[in-house]
Amino acid sequence: MSEAVQEITMFERLGGVAVIDRLVEAFYDRMDRLPEAEGIRAMHPDDLAPIRQVLKRYLTEWTGGPALYTPEKGHPRLRQRHLGFPIGDAERDAWLLCMRGALDETVADAAAREAIYATLAKLADWMRNTAGNPHDAGHRPGA
């Protein structure tokens, strides 16, 4: 008789809610203190507490944990929500620098850490919205 194999979610691989909480805290702590992150830090309010909670809920749900984000905020529409902020290569790189350090600090499972970083790097690329970005509404291949 075959037994059903239960797939482990990325949320579980990362370490659950406790690790997501530490990850987000480490991420925003880096944003507050790294000179390379000054530009993206300036895009945020002085008080990061509310946005820390939003990112915790988003990452929990996005990685396969409990649905904490969509019941409150609806569909993430990340790119649309960030269109008011100029995001180019420098902003993407600063965000990824903060996230890489936070992942290295908080996620023990190296394979999970690399998998989530690779996915977040693709997302960060997609979030770029300044001139020259292939995702710009005004960009037409061959134009």
Side-chain angles (χ1 to χ4, degrees):
M1 185 191 298
S2 67
E3 294 182 24
V5 177
Q6 185 173 355
E7 186 175 323
I8 296 174
T9 66
M10 182 57 74
F11 177 75
E12 293 166 316
R13 287 183 63 197
L14 291 173
V17 70
V19 173
I20 295 285
D21 285 352
R22 288 196 314 267
L23 172 65
V24 170
E25 294 299 322
F27 170 78
Y28 282 113
D29 288 350
R30 280 172 170 70
M31 189 185 290
D32 261 343
R33 76 171 191 270
L34 294 179
E36 300 91 336
E38 285 179 4
I40 61 171
R41 178 58 180 97
M43 295 178 185
H44 292 78
D46 290 341
D47 180 8
L48 290 173
I51 197 71
R52 286 176 191 251
Q53 293 308 311
V54 170
L55 185 56
K56 287 175 184 180
R57 289 190 297 272
Y58 174 77
L59 288 177
T60 294
E61 185 171 333
W62 183 68
T63 58
L68 303 176
Y69 182 89
T70 54
E72 179 184 327
K73 298 278 189 183
H75 188 282
R77 299 184 320 264
L78 293 180
R79 196 151 194 278
Q80 181 181 355
R81 291 179 193 267
H82 289 82
L83 282 176
F85 304 98
I87 301 172
D89 291 349
E91 292 78 17
R92 174 206 55 202
D93 293 349
W95 192 92
L96 286 171
L97 177 69
C98 294
M99 185 55 72
R100 167 56 84 191
L103 285 164
D104 289 347
E105 178 183 328
T106 61
V107 178
D109 180 332
R113 187 171 58 239
E114 292 308 312
I116 200 74
Y117 181 81
T119 302
L120 288 170
K122 289 177 187 175
L123 178 61
D125 273 339
W126 183 73
M127 296 294 289
R128 291 176 297 155
N129 59 24
T130 58
N133 177 26
H135 300 294
D136 276 351
H139 176 78
R140 291 183 311 236

